[in-house]
Amino acid sequence: MCSIIGYRGKGAAAPVIVSGLKRMEYRGYDSVGVATESGKKINLKKGIGRVAEVNSSAGLDALPGTTGIGHTRWATHGKVTRANAHPHSSNSGSIAIVHNGIIENFEELKSSLSAQGYTFESETDTEVIANLLQKNHDATGSVKEAVVKTVSEIEGHYAFVAMFEDGQLAAARFHEPLILGIGQDDLFLSSDVLGFIEYTDDAVYMKDGSFAMLEDGKFQIFDFDGTDTSYEVTKVSKEFGDAYKGDYAHFTLKEIYEQPETVMRAGEKTTDAIKTAALLIRNTKSIYVTGSGTSYNAALLAKQILSRYAKIKVEPIISSELPFSPDIIEDDSVFVAMSQSGESADVLEAVRIAKQAGCKIISIVNLTSSSLARESDIVIGMNCGPEIGVAATKSFTAQLAVLYKLAEQLGGQTGTDFGGISESMLEMLENPTTIQQIAGKLRNVSDIYVLGRGIHYPIAIEAALKLKELTYIHAEGIAGGELKHGPLALMDSGVYVIIINPDDTTYSDTLTSAREIKTRGAKIIGISNVKSDVYDYWIEIPSTGEESYPILEIVPVQLLSYYAALEKDTDPDYPRNLAKSVTVK
Ligand code: M6R
């Protein structure tokens, strides 16, 4: 995913845009660019690399003018090259555009424009929008009519901001996020409130199928057919005020260390939303839980937690798989969507499919102003504050806290004590020395397996996801009992295996698996409250009730992945090829 930003105000545009892009860099970070308007002329600079690098070599923030647009890219159409970086200009140079999303009919449009004499410098679908806008503007002489015509011709999911050489900004949204920020003397357009939170907390979440036009301190919002549309101004500061890494070296580390607090916050209250959700779930035959990546791993845990404590059966579904098996969904069921961002395209699509089947939608979401929240009948907030690191950490433990809360509201006795969990987390985080030492051993390792049983199996899968994202080491979660059905063949002296093994009903079987693996020469890292001679390295977790272990045992693996990333000289906040919220399919 990319981040897009637009600014029109009284101050210099470029520095505002560059600082907004730095805060939104988590959305995509392979190339960056800025364009400004001054004296009815468009100035444009862009390059490959992170915002700070390109800014220091190209001087993005020195571009003149009080109106501008900017972009950080996560490549979809075309390789990571300067030519493919945004902004893109139309052939006449009179329009520059930044875009997030995918134009599905871009090849068709491109051939038609080429036949009319338009030329293209990049491989992107974005340049097609720039030239279409130019064509429609030349034909109508009106920015508004040019946008209405252009959005009727393009298909796909997109948000774009176009800057015209007279300094007008036009921005359209269709299934990709776009927010308008309203400052004292300035207006902002951005994929994320982080783009302008430094300057204002008044925002308009633009509706799908709408576009905004910005001119001299005023704006108007229209539906795609050009009629004026209503909008609501929302305050956003509370939710996002804390998106800074403070004294921590990385956002990822800060977010790992925030968990003693965020898990308490997510689990402390039985909100009205949890009560209504529980009622709905109780009175429904079929319940599905969906998500992508880490949020899907939380859905796997939803199955375990709700069945164990509340005797409620739920079916986890990988969001991106549902379009290929929509018949899984029984009509008029309950569909629970889990998502940190609330903007994952796969999750939103799964929700649309469920809605078509007449399901009620419950979302468990961190950004309660997101598209997912707006599509839901009931919204349960995770309340864990902005998560900037691409690897999900505190949002995962917050998801688990909410699931335990839900199980309790459904009549389950989970016995979870969030105060106790928080203290145990603090205890583990206080002294990371053992974990740092183990991380040092992983520098040249090429395969890590993580083994767990029962409720610890989804944790093993999530642990493997953290390791692969942050360290680029191949990692795989294994269900303990499956070891002899295949994975044992992979065990040898080059392999490290993390054994998730707290002292509960899975303990002795998992210890046996550890012994079987050790016999084959692999190195064993045990995560347990009980020491054993089978572990080459032991990461101790505090002894608590068994209901607390899943939330606790993921924390050492998050830290291990973080420190191993540092050992391997990879950037833990911005893993290669990934982006924080995957808003394209
Ligand atoms: O915002 P979401 O929870 O919908 O995001 C889902 C996944 O893209 C996300 O969890 C991803 O897998 C993380 N990078 C994992 O750490």
Side-chain angles (χ1 to χ4, degrees), residues 292-295 339-341 344 390-392 465-466 469 582:
S292 300
T294 290
S295 293
S339 173
Q340 187 283 130
S341 61
S344 293
V390 166
L465 178 58
K466 288 295 87 81
E469 271 186 296
V582 184

Side-chain angles (χ1 to χ4, degrees), residues 291-297 319 338-347 364-365 372 382 387 389-393 395 399 462 465-466 469-470 575 578-582:
S292 300
T294 290
S295 293
Y296 172 69
N297 296 338
S319 299
M338 308 196 67
S339 173
Q340 187 283 130
S341 61
E343 300 293 349
S344 293
D346 292 321
V347 179
I364 300 179
V365 64
L372 174 61
M382 297 176 198
E387 188 180 69
V390 166
T393 52
S395 63
Q399 283 168 333
E462 171 59 13
L465 178 58
K466 288 295 87 81
E469 271 186 296
L470 292 181
L578 299 179
K580 180 68 180 164
S581 41
V582 184

Side-chain angles (χ1 to χ4, degrees), residues 450-454 457 478-485 509-510 513 516:
V450 190
L451 183 140
R453 271 188 170 73
Y457 173 46
I478 302 175
E482 285 295 291
L483 189 62
K484 291 207 230 25
H485 299 284
D509 283 345
T510 300
S513 304
E516 286 163 357

Side-chain angles (χ1 to χ4, degrees), residues 14-53:
V16 174
I17 289 170
V18 169
S19 80
L21 290 176
K22 280 185 184 159
R23 280 195 303 279
M24 289 197 293
E25 210 168 17
Y26 72 93
R27 297 177 61 87
Y29 33 82
D30 56 45
S31 47
V32 53
V34 174
T36 57
E37 177 275 332
S38 65
K40 299 206 182 302
K41 184 174 155 279
I42 289 178
N43 318 284
L44 192 156
K45 286 189 171 170
K46 57 188 182 179
I48 297 174
R50 300 278 298 275
V51 181
E53 284 157 33

